[in-house]
Every structure is written in structure tokens, then in C-alpha cells.
Amino acid sequence: MPKITVDGQTIEAKDRQMILQACVDAGKTLPHYCYHPGLSIVASCRICLVEVEGIPKLVPSCQTPVREGMVVHSTSPKAVANQKQVMEYLLVNHPLDCPVCDQAGECSLQDYSYQYGRSQSRFEEDKHKKPKKDIGEHVMLYNDRCIMCTRCVRFTREISGASELMVEGRGHKEEIDIFPGKPLDNKLSLNVVDLCPVGALLDKDFLFKQRVWMLKRTASISPIDAGGENIYLEHNEGLIYRIKPRFNADVNQWWISDDTRHSYKAVTDERRLRGAMKLQYGAQAETTFATALQTAVDGLKQAVKEGGVGSLYAMLSPMMACEEAYLLGKMIRSLDPQAALVLGPVPSSGADEVFKNSMSGKQTFVIKAEKVPNAAGVRRVMQMLGGTTAEFAELVSVERAELKKLKAGWIVGGYLSNWLAKDAKDRPAVWAKGFKVVQDTLSNDLTGKADVLLPGAMWAEKDGTWENHAGKLQAFTTAVLCPEGTKREGDVYLTLLNRREKYEARSIRKEMGETFADVRIPEENRTEPAFEFAEL
Ligand code: SF4
Ligand code: FES
């Protein structure tokens, strides 16, 4: 492990590591634009140049490997003069439209200008203006803000592999563009917005909606598939405005899919259920949550009275947190000790979508085909609770003797899109005739036919743990409150278990045994200001 000295500070680096990355790992910031740890190194922006003792000229810290005993200066007169020159050059044609730029507050050009730039411009000529371009379904390009770091171009070649972006022209006419007739439309396209250190590439969905310094961020997990991408939910006054990637070396690195980014829209979907209902004289009528719960328990008890033990089932949704699945299992078995636990439908889109580096062919990212976040976790909980357990297909086919006895049940949905099979023959027969309590978030066919309907909470409104396809248990926490008229599933189960505490995933995990007790909420899983200077 070579030791180097940077501005008088001793830093322990990894073998063959670049000076800049060694500094970042040690918590020391050096200015940089074109460097990104997930992309190839081009050393083109030149703002990271440092003085190394024994080398006569400045060297790019992003591209110079450490050597034992190396002495580096980033604040020497020579290095500072370079930083000022680079900043002055980058700002020559920059429109300086920070007041109307979405990136303001999280812009490296703005921040470095303040820290490393000159306070006055010496440029008196007309600025070279470049047009705005609509380059894809989700992304706008404001070309005159671009500093030609080429991070976006490298991303489309090295990570998404679609190579839609290129550098066109030379000199001051150089600009980022797409190839004619080939828009930026791969499923990872919005990562270029995160990579762009200035406000040149912007997310159309977030455009002009919020100033970033108003946002708070809460660490969470993607609800869209079994990949378990680590994300930040960024919100203000109870509304989520955008989703950003959260670095996790083992899961998603720096990237997330566009579908993950847009998943927050389900939280305010117009189909959101808001108010308990119960069936009365053949039609659903509004009721209080307390009455709905009492009706639910009475109906389920009645079914056990008539059919004996083994008459009840609970359909556990793969959208549920493991802690909720555990509490629902306990609750249904408190009414019927032989109740069956059934895993709800696990939708899939065929095969995994694999992204590869267009030059090396190396796999860089995978979007999982399984379109729910926690089928593995719910299966784990069902196994833990034991007794009769089944997959959804078995509930539909009713070939097993234990499943033939079922009369009434508790069905949990919570899916982000319509999850019900269109054809009645692909739905369990017990739904058509038996008493059913439905707990869901978006209205659908089944919620309209429930004997008791209990509106639930979305993942952004509660705590819990999900297990991804690789068996990794990851915790998420509450970002926003659930809407009026809804109740978090965990609170409902605790009430029915006659437990007075409020649902808190952490305390439920402790009673679920070692595997779950060890799940830790990531250190950064707290609500904090969204904009962060020079985050890598
Ligand atoms: S658009 Fe942004 S990421 Fe792409 S080259 Fe310009 S500044 Fe860099
Ligand atoms: S970050 Fe080193 S040259 Fe751009």
C-alpha cells in the first residue's frame, strides 16, 4: 500500500491507484470534471492537474498512478494558476444562466468557479451560442452549457453500450450530438444526466420543477424489479420529485434504470386508494378503518367456524417488506393456526436485459426480468413460518388437498402496475366465492369486489427489508407520509395482533431471528439535503 503526501497530508493509497481517486477515498477533494470512477480515463478537462515533486511539468492527477513516497501539491502557485486558467477557458462561452438552470446548486462548474475560478471575466467578445436539442425521450441537451468532458459519450459506449452520443465538430464549434435519426433511448439513458457535471444534460421529467437545495433525500431501494438498485428518494414537503442512484459496489454501482427513476410516480397515481370500504347490500360503502378491521376479523372468524381450521389463507405480495409478510403470517395464523401462506403473482418480462461495453463486450449492468422487488424475501419468510405454504399457481390450480379447503382469505397487492390476470380461469376460484379482505394501493378489478378493502402504503411511505435476486437483504426507510385514508400494512397487522406499538421495521427484524436482525440501515439512510458537492 503506497503512501503519498498531498498538500502535506499523508494518504495511504491502493496499488496502481490514480492520485485523484486516492485523494477522494481519503476524503480529500481535488477539482475534476472528466474523471468518473465508473468510466475510462481521458484526462481531457485538465482542471485536476497537480504538481508532483521531481516531475518538471504539471500532471493530471486522474491519470497519474501513485508511487511510494510521492509528494503532490494541488495548492501550489503553479497548480492554482492552471485551475484559474481552465475555469476561465470553460466560462468563455458559458451562458452563465445559473438562475434558470436546473443544475444550479449541484453544478461542479458553479462550485469550482467559486472555489478555483477568477472573480471577474476578461472576455469581452460575443459568446458562441449553441442550440438546445431534444435528444431523446427523457433527456434535453443545453449545448451551450457543455464543457466537453465527454462523460456522457463514454457512458453510452462503455456502460449502456448503445453509443448514441458523439462529439461533433472541432475547436469552439465542437458539441455533443446524437447520430441522425438515432435518439438517446436506451433504458439507462438518464444516467447521463447524473454524470453531466454541469446543466447541459437535463431530465425532462424534473425540468423546472424544484430547486435542488429545497430537496431532502432518503436512501431507499428500487421497487421496480428484483435487482435491488440502491436509490435516493428526493422529496420536498411530502412530495417526491426525483430518484437518484445511490452507489453500491455490489449491486448497481453508480447506475439505475430509467424505470426505477420514474417509479416514484406510482405514489401519487390517480388510481391510489384512499379510504376503507366494506361490502354492504351487494355494493361497497365507505367506512372507518376500525369498522373495516372489525368486519374483516368477523368474516375470517366466521369462515373458520364454518369450515374448521385450515379454511383461511393469506396471499403475501412480493411487494411487501419481509417484516410485513412476517406479521401478516403471524396475524392470519392467530385466527387459524393452519392457515395457508401463498406467495402472490411474480410478474416477469421474459429475460433479463443485459447491457455491455460496446467495445470490450464486458457485461456492465442488468435489468432483471422479475418485476417485483421481494419475491425471494417473502419466500424466505414463508419458509421461516412453516406450515402450509404455496405459490400463486398452486392456489389457482387447487390440486393440493390443503388448498381445496380454503374458504376465506387476506389478499395483499401493492403492485405498481395491474397485476391481475385478465382471464378469470387464471385467478383463484376461492376469490370468486369466498370472503376476502383486500389490502392494496391502486384500484383494480379485485379491489372493487372486496368484502373489506383496506388501502395500504407504498414503499416510499414505510420501512422494511427486501431481498434481491442475489439473496442480498437491504433495508429501506420512510421518505414521505402515507396519504389520508390509508394505513401502513405493518400497523394494521400489529393492531390485529393486539400489539400496541407502532410498526417499526427495525424492532420487527429483531424478533425475526439472526438473518434479519443483522440487516443494517445504511449509514446514509437518513434524510439529508439532496445536493452534495462533487459526489463521485
Ligand atoms: S453534455 Fe455534460 S457530460 Fe456530456 S460532454 Fe457536455 S458537460 Fe460533459
Ligand atoms: S479530471 Fe483529470 S483531466 Fe479531467
Side-chain angles (χ1 to χ4, degrees), residues 20 31-35 43-49 60-63:
L20 174 58
H32 57 278
Y33 287 120
C34 65
Y35 177 75
S44 61
C45 75
R46 315 309 279 178
I47 191 143
C48 74
L49 301 198
S61 61
C62 63
Q63 203 183 31

Side-chain angles (χ1 to χ4, degrees), residues 13 162 175 181 352 354 465:
E175 58 185 63
D352 291 352
V354 178
T465 306

Side-chain angles (χ1 to χ4, degrees), residues 353-402:
E353 283 179 77
V354 178
F355 295 82
K356 290 180 179 167
N357 182 313
S358 65
M359 288 158 295
S360 69
K362 201 173 146 218
Q363 181 174 308
T364 50
F365 196 84
V366 177
I367 297 180
K368 296 307 290 179
E370 190 172 293
K371 294 300 171 201
V372 279
N374 197 30
V378 174
R379 282 194 185 104
R380 185 192 287 267
V381 171
M382 283 166 46
Q383 203 177 15
M384 201 171 94
L385 293 171
T388 305
T389 59
E391 295 280 317
F392 187 72
E394 295 175 288
L395 186 66
V396 176
S397 65
V398 206
E399 279 162 12
R400 281 170 52 189
E402 323 84 284

Side-chain angles (χ1 to χ4, degrees), residues 221-277:
I221 305 294
S222 167
I224 215 82
D225 59 39
E229 292 164 19
N230 288 214
I231 55 172
Y232 284 116
L233 298 172
E234 297 196 350
H235 49 97
N236 182 26
E237 297 185 341
L239 267 186
I240 301 170
Y241 284 92
R242 65 178 184 180
I243 290 181
K244 288 278 185 182
R246 179 163 56 94
F247 176 74
N248 186 323
D250 302 330
V251 182
N252 54 304
Q253 299 209 315
W254 300 267
W255 329 117
I256 55 174
S257 70
D258 292 356
D259 288 344
T260 291
R261 268 175 221 268
H262 294 139
S263 60
Y264 78 92
K265 293 179 183 173
V267 176
T268 48
D269 192 297
E270 55 185 19
R271 291 169 297 160
R272 196 73 201 267
L273 297 165
R274 291 159 184 263
M277 311 279 267

